[in-house]
Amino acid sequence: MAQSLGTVTSLHRFPVKSMRGERLTRAWLGPAGVAGDREWALLDDERHWASAKTNRSRWRLVDGMLDLRARTAAEVGPTVVEGPRPAATTAASDEAGAPAVVVVTLPDGREVTAGTPEADAVLSAHLGRELRFDHGDDGHRWGRHHDAAPLHLVTTSTLDALPGPDGSPLDPMRLRPNLVVAPAAGGDFAEDAWVGRLLRVGDSLLRVTERTERCVMTTRAQADELPHAPTVLKRIGRANEACAGVYLAVVEPGAVAVGDPLVPIPG
């Protein structure tokens, strides 16, 4: 077997675009990435995505999006992962696209269920504009609300290469990856060298497609968890041409778990 390039240290899912998400121990990876990731978004009356980014293309800046947290509360039509490892289910949509039950928590502790009239009304009032939940983006972009790719990975070497003023590594939630990986070899931005490679991760087969160019969203405050950090994007620009992390495509679906190695596959 080829030598591992690294080990998965954490898995993350963001059920609603531009909201904070949830940490997982196992996940199912399908053609659209982590099951249930970016499955929902808030849209305005012109179908622009409510976002923590700037006003560009389909995005419209809506202050307060990152003060909200989305979590998967119940499963619909679970996908069962069979095989040598213990059976597990996704806590998200089935392969047919049935939506999971996703709960959004507001800063005051109120909770609403994505896709309900109550949630549309409560979040519209909270965010100060008329918005509604959308599921699946009419089948565009893998049937999810992804920007450029269905899956995103960052290594701890990249986080270490972008320290804050106190010298601590960059918090991975600034980059909102699905997989955080500790690389086996040293050097900054280790994942950049993996572009074009096939990787066996758990039961899935992934192809690293390109580096991830970062945007102003990396600087935004996230409730009381992360403060506004105006220098983050500048640090990424100086250190690595404004790129941090890589995008991936899912070649073969399968389950992944924290602790899985990343094994390069010829091809």
Side-chain angles (χ1 to χ4, degrees), residues 152-175:
H152 176 39
L153 176 154
V154 66
T155 65
T156 54
S157 71
T158 289
L159 304 176
D160 291 341
L162 299 167
D166 63 355
S168 61
L170 185 68
D171 191 303
M173 290 304 96
R174 292 280 182 199
L175 306 179

Side-chain angles (χ1 to χ4, degrees), residues 14-250:
F14 305 90
V16 181
K17 185 174 184 63
S18 287
M19 294 184 189
R20 290 175 295 148
E22 55 193 348
R23 189 162 178 163
L24 309 172
T25 57
R26 297 193 71 192
W28 175 262
L29 302 186
V34 173
D37 188 56
R38 275 88 169 183
E39 189 169 17
W40 294 92
L42 285 173
L43 303 186
D44 65 16
D45 56 6
E46 296 181 343
R47 291 194 61 81
H48 294 125
W49 291 335
S51 174
K53 300 184 179 184
T54 53
N55 292 329
R56 182 168 63 89
S57 184
R58 284 199 64 184
W59 303 292
R60 287 298 179 270
L61 175 63
V62 176
D63 290 333
M65 287 294 292
L66 287 170
D67 293 335
L68 305 169
R69 181 180 294 282
R71 61 181 173 84
T72 306
E75 186 176 335
V76 175
T79 300
V80 179
V81 181
E82 305 287 357
R85 294 191 290 177
T89 60
T90 70
S93 300
D94 63 17
E95 292 299 297
V101 177
V102 170
V103 173
V104 175
T105 303
L106 282 74
D108 62 8
R110 286 180 294 165
E111 293 189 332
V112 293
T113 300
T116 63
E118 178 197 13
D120 291 351
V122 168
L123 293 180
S124 294
H126 176 74
L127 295 168
R129 65 180 70 190
E130 197 70 24
L131 299 167
R132 63 178 177 83
F133 271 101
D134 176 74
H135 176 260
D137 197 30
D138 289 339
H140 301 298
R141 297 174 184 259
W142 309 276
R144 301 282 181 83
H145 302 89
H146 296 301
D147 291 342
L151 200 60
H152 176 39
L153 176 154
V154 66
T155 65
T156 54
S157 71
T158 289
L159 304 176
D160 291 341
L162 299 167
D166 63 355
S168 61
L170 185 68
D171 191 303
M173 290 304 96
R174 292 280 182 199
L175 306 179
R176 296 168 62 81
N178 300 115
L179 296 91
V180 179
V181 171
D188 296 342
F189 305 102
E191 63 270 39
D192 286 5
W194 304 344
V195 173
R197 303 191 75 170
L198 282 171
L199 304 176
R200 178 68 65 185
V201 186
D203 302 323
S204 69
L205 183 65
L206 311 176
R207 183 180 296 279
V208 185
T209 57
E210 61 182 316
R211 298 194 299 167
T212 306
E213 186 174 354
R214 310 315 312 197
C215 70
V216 71
M217 194 166 176
T218 59
T219 70
R220 305 296 194 201
Q222 299 188 27
D224 58 357
E225 296 178 2
L226 292 174
H228 177 56
T231 67
V232 169
L233 189 56
K234 294 178 181 177
R235 297 203 305 269
I236 300 171
R238 287 194 300 265
N240 200 39
E241 301 175 321
C243 292
V246 290
Y247 288 130
L248 305 97
V250 179

